[in-house]
Amino acid sequence: MQYNWKKWSISSRKWLWILVIVGIVAAMPVAYDRFKTETSANQVEFVFDYRDLVDIASYEAHPVDYINEQLDKLKEAGVGSMAMFESTLDEFQKSRRIMLYNSKDIANKMNQSIPVNENFTYILFTNEENARAITPVIEETYNRLEIAVKPWTFENRKGLIIETPIENAMMKPMRSDPITFDMLRSKGFNIVPRLGDSLPYDQDHMENLISDYEAAGVTRILFEGESVKGYNDQESMKSLDAFADLLNEHGMGIAAIENLKKPQLGFNKLAYDLDYNVVRIYSLSEGDANLNVQKIADRFALASKDRNIRMFYLNAAPSRDTSKAMITNSIDNLVRSLAEPGNAIERLESDGFTIGQAKAFDVAEASYQRIMKMIVVLGAIAFVSLLVSYFIPLLTIPAFVFGLIGSVGLFILRPSLFEQGLALLVAISAPTVAMVLAVRKINELNAKTNDMLLTRRFAHALVLFVKTSIISLSAIPFVVALLNSITYELVLNQFRGVSLLHFGPIALTALYVVLYRGGNLRQQLSTILRSRITVLGVIVVGIIGVLGLYYLSRTGNGGSVTSLEMSFRTFMENTFGVRPRNKEFLMAHPLLILGAFMSIKYRNAIYIMVIAVIGQLSMVDTFAHIHTPLKISLIRNLLGLGLGLVIGLVAIVVWQIAEGCWKRWSPLLRR
């Protein structure tokens, strides 16, 4: 009975492979939909933080003239938008719109006694225009907070008294400075408002504000702080829902800031309610704004091309330069990175982007996509079952059946976990199955002959490299189709298990080489368990462990990169337009070719294949970065394979020369 069951299990592999092929075909239309989505929005927007410009100008002799001069330079360089925070009394004071006093200051100015029971905020406007424009903004804000505001004059100048301490008054956010708002619009800048959620939500106020924004051409809002507008009062007022309705009514979207330590609270819900009218934004920090102009330009080019970034937020700050004995800033450096000599704008345009207000991706989702995904799921389960089959043949059919039942249950309970989990299992299965089949083929060749002609070994190595790569690449359509969601492209949802993907195929390949290559699993296990532990063995295991930890530390976005490697990456990027992965073409792919070539003659060289699997899993992992466009990922893999093939052929030539030298000179060394 066991013999028949094993026979049926092995025979079922043929049908599982057919399901895999059908799944790949079904995944293609889904992948095409994603391609259409990725290419639906190619406008790139540069946004400068206007508050930073005000801070920098406060150190200049003529701040107003300086601001106008820098705005013209930024506009000419390609900056089309200005970010405006909600104003505060402190910001109005820095902009020379008002002067602030407390009750004690006013008593001193008027030569009066300090009031015993009064601690108010006194505002004096610097001119009539400021009084006319800003008075309504201040009154509207503090009256809404139920803080009394009264008119006041001093030395024939208009002012206001806010009946709260100056420390409290200065913390209240209000509408952006209307004078600055109009001035920036007159200079041709688009406005990107930055809204916080520190004050209680007021629907009437927000409706007026959003209406005014729409009239001024605002299309996208950026949030400040830990949460989006309306989040804090959602439970009691459903304010987040109301705010989403307002934005939808006025056709306004939001921006997702890249690489935040944690997502802004309420952002994912708001994005969902807005039908994902979201654009990803990369923020160049004040420190990075002082980098070499070419490095800044490289960041802009890579972010737009490789990570679907469509907005760039430029920060700048004043700094003390003791070597020049003056206050400096990075605005000129930013201008030079966008224009000459950095030429970031020119590079973006050569990559097919246009400069303008960023637009959200138009999500393409054909009606047949749901049916195709069901077929993809069937093929993915078949692929995972194949992996089980090559290790434990008796479990092939149970693995497939259990996979079907488990998938249905998990899809009902946790659909996001289901699609990520199945994508991860397929991503692990394909390179592992590919390497297992390569090892089995080498075993077969070893059994036939130990003295194969050089040309035949060479041909077998090349064929194995191609076949193994094709099987590994077959996981990509499954990963793309299973994770085809705008939430992944906007990094609102992320693919989990990257470390497991980088470790799993290596461990499984090593397990197969060690336990299954001898043919008798029990005998191999018995031999290993009875082996003596030596100091050398412990040292080798320790070295492998350290190398493994280093390898895992390099995976994901948090991996550290040396300056030398970064320079090499830049060189490859500038040379080919898309940077192939170093570990693929410099190490893993050449090792697969060389390892296959050597293993046919030298049996123990098969252990090289354990390292070579890194290249196979890396090709799949490239497509697990969903925010990277499909076109870029495909080019990256093809470049890695092509360059790896060339280096692998060179490695074979070098090995043959070294082997010949060893055969010739080793007898002399022994003497």
Side-chain angles (χ1 to χ4, degrees):
M1 179 64 183
Q2 182 177 345
Y3 172 78
N4 289 333
W5 182 259
K6 184 175 181 180
K7 184 179 178 181
W8 296 335
S9 297
I10 293 175
S11 299
S12 68
R13 289 175 185 167
K14 176 179 68 175
W15 299 104
L16 292 176
W17 277 114
I18 291 173
L19 287 176
V20 168
I21 293 170
V22 171
I24 291 172
V25 174
M28 293 306 176
V30 183
Y32 180 65
D33 279 351
R34 178 179 153 187
F35 174 76
K36 289 198 296 185
T37 298
E38 292 172 344
T39 54
S40 63
N42 286 323
Q43 288 199 163
V44 174
E45 182 175 1
F46 285 91
V47 185
F48 190 86
D49 190 323
Y50 183 78
R51 180 179 285 181
D52 288 350
L53 183 56
V54 173
D55 287 342
I56 291 169
S58 66
Y59 292 90
E60 297 293 325
H62 303 286
V64 175
D65 294 342
Y66 180 83
I67 287 175
N68 282 315
E69 178 187 342
Q70 299 308 309
L71 286 174
D72 292 340
K73 288 168 63 175
L74 289 166
K75 183 67 177 177
E76 186 178 353
V79 176
S81 302
M82 285 284 151
M84 290 196 69
F85 287 81
E86 294 172 293
S87 292
T88 61
L89 294 180
D90 180 58
E91 188 173 319
F92 283 140
Q93 183 172 236
K94 284 184 177 179
S95 301
R96 310 295 177 94
R97 308 268 185 236
I98 64 173
M99 292 183 290
L100 285 174
Y101 305 98
N102 58 25
S103 297
K104 179 182 175 181
D105 295 330
I106 294 302
N108 290 334
K109 276 183 168 292
M110 300 178 68
N111 294 320
Q112 295 178 353
S113 299
I114 299 174
V116 176
N117 193 33
E118 178 193 306
N119 189 11
F120 292 164
T121 301
Y122 288 78
I123 296 174
L124 267 183
F125 295 101
T126 53
N127 58 44
E128 183 64 30
E129 180 191 5
N130 292 336
R132 186 169 55 253
I134 297 174
T135 295
V137 174
I138 295 175
E139 289 179 338
E140 188 271 340
T141 299
Y142 291 94
N143 288 336
R144 182 159 47 92
L145 297 174
E146 297 182 351
I147 299 174
V149 180
K150 298 186 297 187
W152 173 64
T153 58
F154 181 73
E155 295 181 349
N156 295 322
R157 282 187 292 170
K158 289 184 178 180
L160 295 171
I161 301 174
I162 305 175
E163 295 187 359
T164 189
I166 192 170
E167 293 81 8
N168 184 50
M170 291 179 69
M171 294 180 66
K172 308 303 181 188
M174 59 194 83
R175 277 188 182 231
S176 300
D177 180 356
I179 299 174
T180 300
F181 195 101
D182 293 340
M183 179 270 292
L184 292 175
R185 292 287 297 152
S186 69
K187 285 183 173 290
F189 287 103
N190 300 307
I191 305 299
V192 178
R194 296 207 63 171
L195 300 182
D197 196 36
S198 56
L199 297 183
Y201 185 81
D202 186 310
Q203 181 70 359
D204 292 335
H205 166 69
M206 289 309 304
E207 188 166 0
N208 291 332
L209 184 64
I210 298 300
S211 296
D212 290 345
Y213 282 159
E214 183 186 18
V218 173
T219 60
R220 202 158 301 280
I221 289 174
L222 188 60
F223 298 105
E224 177 190 10
E226 296 182 351
S227 61
V228 303
K229 191 71 178 179
Y231 172 81
N232 290 326
D233 296 315
Q234 169 67 6
E235 188 173 342
S236 59
M237 300 173 55
K238 299 298 179 185
S239 51
L240 193 55
D241 298 332
F243 183 60
D245 291 340
L246 266 180
L247 294 182
N248 281 323
E249 181 184 340
H250 294 277
M252 213 163 289
I254 56 179
I257 304 172
E258 187 188 41
N259 290 334
L260 287 178
K261 291 182 179 179
K262 62 177 183 178
Q264 290 174 307
L265 299 173
F267 193 96
N268 281 21
K269 173 175 169 47
L270 182 59
Y272 175 81
D273 290 341
L274 295 179
D275 198 20
Y276 297 105
N277 185 0
V278 180
V279 167
R280 295 183 69 217
I281 184 169
Y282 168 76
S283 179
L284 187 75
S285 68
E286 292 91 343
D288 289 345
N290 290 298
L291 290 172
N292 177 276
V293 293
Q294 291 297 340
K295 288 186 177 181
I296 295 176
D298 287 342
R299 289 193 180 189
F300 294 153
L302 286 172
S304 56
K305 185 172 61 176
D306 281 21
R307 303 200 302 278
N308 278 332
I309 298 292
R310 294 296 180 266
M311 292 181 78
F312 293 98
Y313 194 92
L314 309 181
N315 292 279
S319 59
R320 298 179 183 274
D321 190 336
T322 55
S323 64
K324 298 179 181 179
M326 61 185 297
I327 303 295
T328 61
N329 63 76
S330 55
I331 294 179
D332 284 340
N333 199 54
L334 290 173
V335 168
R336 292 173 66 243
S337 69
L338 295 175
E340 294 183 349
N343 296 313
I345 300 291
E346 183 180 324
R347 289 178 60 180
L348 288 171
E349 291 175 340
S350 67
D351 287 334
F353 297 101
T354 56
I355 308 303
Q357 281 186 293
K359 297 179 180 179
F361 289 117
D362 184 12
V363 180
E365 190 169 349
S367 57
Y368 53 74
Q369 192 174 125
R370 183 178 294 273
I371 297 173
M372 292 300 173
K373 279 192 173 183
M374 291 173 62
I375 300 173
V376 168
V377 168
L378 197 64
I381 296 170
F383 219 147
V384 177
S385 301
L386 279 170
L387 174 64
V388 174
S389 172
Y390 287 114
F391 282 86
I392 311 174
L394 292 174
L395 295 181
T396 304
I397 298 174
F400 183 73
V401 174
F402 178 78
L404 286 175
I405 297 171
S407 295
V408 172
L410 196 57
F411 176 75
I412 294 172
L413 297 174
R414 296 281 300 278
S416 178
L417 181 61
F418 159 71
E419 63 191 15
Q420 290 193 38
L422 190 55
L424 176 61
L425 289 175
V426 174
I428 292 173
S429 298
T432 306
V433 169
M435 200 58 68
V436 164
L437 293 176
V439 171
R440 287 161 67 102
K441 180 63 178 178
I442 292 171
N443 286 348
E444 180 186 325
L445 294 173
N446 287 149
K448 288 181 179 179
T449 178
N450 289 325
D451 191 22
M452 188 180 293
L453 291 174
L454 177 65
T455 52
R456 288 195 63 197
R457 287 168 58 202
F458 181 77
H460 277 301
L462 290 185
V463 171
L464 269 176
F465 174 65
V466 173
K467 287 174 63 177
T468 303
S469 298
I470 289 174
I471 294 172
S472 296
L473 291 170
S474 64
I476 291 170
F478 293 102
V479 172
V480 171
L482 289 168
L483 302 180
N484 181 44
S485 169
I486 190 63
T487 59
Y488 292 104
E489 294 180 56
L490 296 173
V491 199
L492 303 177
N493 198 1
Q494 294 195 59
F495 177 60
R496 309 294 177 182
V498 172
S499 295
L500 191 58
L501 170 57
H502 281 265
F503 176 74
I506 299 173
L508 291 170
T509 302
L511 185 68
Y512 192 87
V513 170
V514 172
L515 296 182
Y516 289 83
R517 199 173 182 225
N520 191 316
L521 178 59
R522 290 184 180 178
Q523 185 178 345
Q524 289 291 100
L525 274 172
S526 178
T527 302
I528 292 171
L529 292 173
R530 288 201 303 265
S531 299
R532 289 185 301 172
I533 299 175
T534 63
V535 174
L536 179 61
V538 173
I539 293 173
V540 170
V541 171
I543 292 173
I544 292 173
V546 171
L547 292 175
L549 289 174
Y550 173 73
Y551 165 71
L552 289 177
S553 72
R554 294 292 305 271
T555 64
N557 295 325
S560 58
V561 181
T562 63
S563 57
L564 180 62
E565 185 177 355
M566 185 59 71
S567 298
F568 182 70
R569 287 183 175 189
T570 302
F571 169 76
M572 295 300 292
E573 179 76 31
N574 294 335
T575 302
F576 295 103
V578 174
R579 177 183 63 82
R581 290 191 163 184
N582 295 346
K583 60 187 171 187
E584 292 179 21
F585 78 92
L586 288 179
M587 181 190 71
H589 291 334
L591 279 179
L592 176 54
I593 297 170
L594 180 63
F597 178 79
M598 293 173 60
S599 300
I600 296 171
K601 183 175 181 180
Y602 303 103
R603 181 176 174 83
N604 287 334
I606 195 70
Y607 291 99
I608 295 175
M609 307 297 274
V610 176
I611 304 174
V613 74
I614 292 174
Q616 304 300 303
L617 67 88
S618 178
M619 291 192 297
V620 181
D621 176 62
T622 294
F623 282 82
H625 294 75
I626 312 299
H627 57 274
T628 300
L630 287 175
K631 178 182 176 182
I632 298 297
S633 296
L634 180 61
I635 294 172
R636 177 166 288 138
N637 274 358
L638 293 177
L639 275 174
L641 286 168
L643 293 174
L645 175 61
V646 173
I647 296 175
L649 297 179
V650 172
I652 289 177
V653 173
V654 172
W655 171 258
Q656 283 300 109
I657 294 173
E659 188 181 44
C661 291
W662 176 256
K663 287 180 179 179
R664 181 174 181 180
W665 297 105
S666 60
L668 297 177
L669 293 174
R670 292 194 187 108
R671 292 176 189 174

